[in-house]
Each structure stands twice: as structure tokens, then as C-alpha cells.
Amino acid sequence: MKRIYVLDAFHPSGPEWLEGKVELIPFGDPRAKNWHEDADGVMVRMHPLTEDDFARAGRLKAVVKQGVGVNTIDLDAARRHGITVANTPGINSEAVSEMALALALAVTRRVPQFDRMIRAGEPIERPKFLGFALQGKTVGVIGMGNIGVRAARKFQAAFDCRILAYDPYYAPRNGKDPWAQVPHERLDDLDALCSQSDLLTVHVPLTDQTRDMISAKRLALMKPNGIVINVSRGGIVNEADLHDALASGHLFGAGIDVWTEREPPEQSHPLLSLPNVVATPHAGGGTVETQQQSSLKVAQELYSILQG
Ligand code: NAD
């Protein structure tokens, strides 16, 4: 029987499906610290996998990661050691794109800020705390993949937004053209997209090319009172530059689900000192529905790879 280790906390749907089919070492089992010795396969969510892990795991054939971002896994090392790595793209796209809208509304209508003030018993002079409407605004979507297209569609359907899209690597998938689902204007110049958008929403993977893609120069190009939403990966929006653009009053606010150093960020993180930042702890895919579906998909995919 193949031996599978669950190296992160998963919804029970996947591990339950594997029971009886493989020898399953559940998350939290003390045996998991020696997984390198005899694992045929591992299920991961955020658990990093390095060259050293792959070198030590002599029996390992496959890794399946929940979600789409695989930046926590050294893919080159996995390839060198002949280990298959798979992920579960697309399953959490609706949930993550919903989070982009949740953050956008929370920022524009100051929902967490009002909530904090009411709970603290602070007097609120409402005219000093006006929000901004999303209706009819221009939304710049960076990365029009599974999540970006859905976010664009939601902003358009809910608020009649004009959609500008930047994605030089876009290609139709499985003969389908996802962009056809959303009327949009394609811009090949990211600076132009930044300068024309009221709200930027970031949906690219973290790569050498996308690290610090939204930095001081591009934030300065944004219209006064612009809004930045990042539900993609920490490090794509430069946090220090975002802090300065918010603290100076140039931007109206930001909604950040993903963080550069630590998730969730330390309480002392400079962005958390700003009332116009809405922070969530990498929770974009965190709905009951997506966790249940993704966990099952990871288990089935891993089983199928190990069956050969
Ligand atoms: P996807 O692969 O379907 O889409 C990514 C898009 O980015 C592609 O269309 C690609 O062409 C484009 N792209 C790549 N490099 C680019 C560049 N340099 N400039 C412009 N566009 C570029 O992936 P997806 O499912 O839409 O997910 C997007 C990202 O969202 C993931 O990589 C992941 O980091 C993040 N994510 C976050 C959460 C969360 O919980 N917050 C959950 C899932 C995914």
C-alpha cells in the first residue's frame, strides 16, 4: 500500500476519501516529522518543500498542493529528483475573486473602520468619514487568469465598472477564450493602466518578473484617492511603497489579503497602523465550499498519480 502524509491541515473530505485506499498519516500525527523516510506522496497547502526535502525523501513520487500558487515548492529541485508536482487550479477562483470585491467594499465604505469606532465608543462625525462609490469606476485588472477574469466580471456586473486589463502572457485555454466573458480594454502598458484606474486589483503569480511590480513609481501614477487590492501574493505590491502612498494621502485605501514576510503579518506591521488598510490573513480561498472541493481534488489527484 502506498503511504501518504498530510503535511498541512486539510478539510476532511480528501483524507476521508483516501482512507482504506492508502496508508494515510494524518496532519498532526507525530510520525509526520519523519515523512522523508517512507512517504510515497504528500498533500500540502502552505508547507514549504525545498531541495533538501526532495534529496532526503528517497521514496517520494508525488506532491499535490491545494490551490494554484506553487511558489512554496522548489519546482526545479522536484524535477531533478523525478518527483511529480501538481496543484488544483481554478477551484478557488470564485472565492478569491469574491474576496477582491469584499476588500474593495470594505475599503471604499470604511466598514472595518466604522466597526472599530463603534465598538470603541468613539464619537463619529460622519461627514469626515465619507466613502467612495464603486459604481461606474475604472478597475485595472493585473493578470487575467482564472481569478482575474472572475474579479473583472464581478466588478462589472455589480458596479458597472469599466475594466482595463493587463496580461501580456494571456492565451486561450482548452480552446476557450476567458476574456470573451468580460467586456474590457486590453492595455499592454502597465504604467498606462495604473494611471487610468481608480482601483487596481492584482491577480498575477509571484515570479521574478512580478515581484515589486506595483512599486512607488506605479503607485505615484495612480489617480489621487486610488485603491489597491492584492489577493494574489505578498511581494507583488511593495509594502513599504504602499505604506508611503497611503500615509501621504495620495491613495484612499488598500485591501491586502497576502503579505510579504509573514501571514498573517505581525501586529507591528507598518501597514496595520493605517486606518484605511483592510487586512485579511491569506483567506481569499477560505470558504467551506472551496476547502471541501480542493481537499477532495488533492486526494484524488495524488492517488491517481501514485497509481501510475
Ligand atoms: P492563473 O494562472 O489562472 O492566472 C494568472 C494570470 O497572470 C495568467 O493569465 C498569466 O498570463 C498572468 N501573468 C503571469 N505573469 C504575468 C506578468 N508578469 N504580467 C501580467 N500578467 C501575468 O492563476 P489564478 O488562478 O488566476 O491565480 C492568480 C494568483 O492568485 C495565483 O498565482 C496565486 O498567487 C493567487 N492566489 C491567491 C489566493 C488567496 O487565497 N489569496 C488563492 C488562490 C490563488
Side-chain angles (χ1 to χ4, degrees):
M1 235 186 199
K2 302 288 185 197
R3 185 169 296 173
I4 290 181
Y5 284 79
V6 184
L7 297 184
D8 283 302
F10 272 81
H11 186 281
S13 58
E16 278 170 15
W17 185 87
L18 285 168
E19 261 164 37
K21 297 183 179 74
V22 298
E23 191 186 333
L24 190 73
I25 316 299
F27 176 63
D29 189 299
R31 286 172 292 171
K33 68 174 189 307
N34 299 323
W35 69 267
H36 303 87
E37 287 172 13
D38 57 6
D40 296 295
V42 294
M43 292 175 58
V44 290
R45 292 175 66 225
M46 307 308 283
H47 191 291
L49 291 170
T50 61
E51 164 82 57
D52 180 56
D53 288 318
F54 295 130
R56 288 166 59 206
R59 241 172 84 168
L60 189 66
K61 291 277 169 307
V63 172
V64 182
K65 182 186 176 297
Q66 176 170 320
V68 61
V70 283
N71 53 301
T72 46
I73 300 176
D74 186 336
L75 296 178
D76 289 337
R79 209 171 297 121
R80 279 198 299 279
H81 290 275
I83 295 160
T84 304
V85 177
N87 59 353
T88 58
I91 293 183
N92 55 13
S93 305
E94 295 296 353
V96 181
S97 58
E98 279 183 16
M99 185 60 118
L101 271 83
L103 288 173
L105 280 170
V107 170
T108 55
R109 306 309 305 273
R110 303 181 187 268
V111 176
Q113 193 180 358
F114 282 140
D115 183 74
R116 281 193 300 269
M117 292 168 91
I118 290 171
R119 286 168 197 265
E122 282 178 37
I124 306 173
E125 287 179 63
R126 279 179 294 169
K128 288 191 181 163
F129 293 96
L130 296 180
F132 272 95
L134 282 171
Q135 182 67 30
K137 291 284 159 58
T138 299
V139 171
V141 182
I142 304 178
M144 282 284 271
N146 283 317
I147 298 171
V149 164
R150 284 170 175 80
R153 193 164 59 201
K154 288 177 172 61
F155 276 111
Q156 197 160 62
F159 308 115
D160 250 334
C161 290
R162 173 184 174 219
I163 304 295
L164 305 180
Y166 173 78
D167 188 333
Y169 305 105
Y170 165 76
R173 296 176 184 191
N174 307 321
K176 291 191 188 137
D177 179 2
W179 285 27
Q181 301 167 30
V182 195
H184 67 277
E185 294 154 57
R186 178 178 174 158
L187 297 186
D188 290 330
D189 178 351
L190 183 53
D191 289 353
L193 178 128
C194 291
S195 60
Q196 292 179 44
S197 301
D198 297 297
L199 181 147
L200 278 188
T201 185
V202 181
H203 302 288
V204 290
L206 178 63
T207 64
D208 289 344
Q209 273 187 320
T210 62
R211 192 178 300 281
D212 288 331
M213 191 179 212
I214 304 302
S215 58
K217 177 192 129 192
R218 294 206 161 110
L219 293 169
L221 287 172
M222 288 184 70
K223 296 180 191 172
N225 291 317
I227 289 155
V228 174
I229 303 296
N230 187 8
V231 294
S232 173
R233 278 291 180 270
I236 297 171
V237 178
N238 181 292
E239 288 174 355
D241 292 352
L242 179 65
H243 174 274
D244 292 350
L246 289 161
S248 72
H250 175 56
L251 296 183
F252 178 74
I256 306 294
D257 186 44
V258 285
W259 303 84
T260 306
E261 295 292 331
R262 256 186 56 171
E263 291 183 332
E266 306 258 14
Q267 266 183 300
S268 59
H269 193 295
L271 280 174
L272 300 182
S273 67
L274 303 174
N276 46 351
V277 169
V278 179
T280 49
H282 199 147
T287 65
V288 173
E289 292 84 350
T290 56
Q291 296 308 303
Q292 190 270 337
Q293 290 162 16
S294 315
S295 172
L296 184 60
K297 177 82 179 157
V298 168
Q300 292 176 337
E301 184 84 19
L302 188 51
Y303 184 70
S304 141
I305 297 171
L306 293 180
Q307 291 306 102

